[in-house]
Amino acid sequence: MIRSVFSVVAGSLCWGVLWVTMNGILQTIIPDIARGDGRVDNVAVLGLFLVVSIILSIIAGYLTAWLIGKKEFSHTVALGILQLAVGILVQIQYLDLMPIWYHVLFLLFLIPGNVYGGHLRLRYKYRTRQAIVQTT
């Protein structure tokens, strides 16, 4: 039970740390991301944020699946649900700063991204296992 909770929390923390880091990097590279009032309405920037979020969700799902090592699917779904709950709370805070379509897409891709990351881990795990069996 502790390992299950740890794997999901670790995946979520990984996503959060990477998100904050990527935002800092992007704001350094593109200093005019937000207008003076904090609003972000540049479609290219919002698209970039969505792509980064999807990539981070995949990484977090992979990490969760790797840490748990069994029942990967259910754990990455749990991670996705946790990410969605946190995401809703965060997106509510920024509701006025970005278009509604961004918030909807951001939340929509969290669970599939996490589950896909777990799927990639499972695929790697089984391919590695097959390679070991074939060499023996």
Side-chain angles (χ1 to χ4, degrees), residues 3-20:
R3 188 171 177 179
S4 292
V5 172
F6 172 75
S7 68
V8 172
V9 170
S12 186
L13 288 174
C14 170
W15 191 100
V17 168
L18 291 175
W19 179 257
V20 170

Side-chain angles (χ1 to χ4, degrees), residues 56-114:
L56 297 184
S57 293
I58 292 169
I59 292 169
Y62 190 98
L63 175 67
T64 296
W66 177 72
L67 287 172
I68 195 61
K70 60 184 177 185
K71 298 183 182 178
E72 290 90 343
F73 180 77
S74 60
H75 286 83
T76 57
V77 169
L79 171 64
I81 292 168
L82 175 62
Q83 289 292 104
L84 182 60
V86 171
I88 289 170
L89 295 174
V90 171
Q91 293 305 310
I92 287 172
Q93 294 175 6
Y94 294 100
L95 203 55
D96 294 339
L97 299 179
M98 297 170 193
I100 193 69
W101 64 263
Y102 170 80
H103 299 293
V104 170
L105 290 176
F106 181 92
L107 295 171
L108 188 65
F109 287 121
L110 287 173
I111 293 176
N114 285 299

Side-chain angles (χ1 to χ4, degrees), residues 3-57:
R3 188 171 177 179
S4 292
V5 172
F6 172 75
S7 68
V8 172
V9 170
S12 186
L13 288 174
C14 170
W15 191 100
V17 168
L18 291 175
W19 179 257
V20 170
T21 303
M22 286 304 299
N23 272 332
I25 291 169
L26 289 174
Q27 288 180 352
T28 301
I29 295 170
I30 312 168
D32 296 330
I33 282 181
R35 296 187 325 204
D37 61 355
R39 185 162 175 74
V40 179
D41 51 10
N42 183 313
V43 174
V45 169
L46 293 169
L48 180 60
F49 284 165
L50 289 173
V51 169
V52 167
S53 172
I54 292 167
I55 291 169
L56 297 184
S57 293

Side-chain angles (χ1 to χ4, degrees), residues 118-130:
H119 170 75
L120 290 177
R121 171 62 190 156
L122 276 175
R123 216 166 84 184
Y124 176 78
K125 179 177 163 181
Y126 290 124
R127 282 187 180 174
T128 304
R129 200 175 281 164
Q130 283 181 332

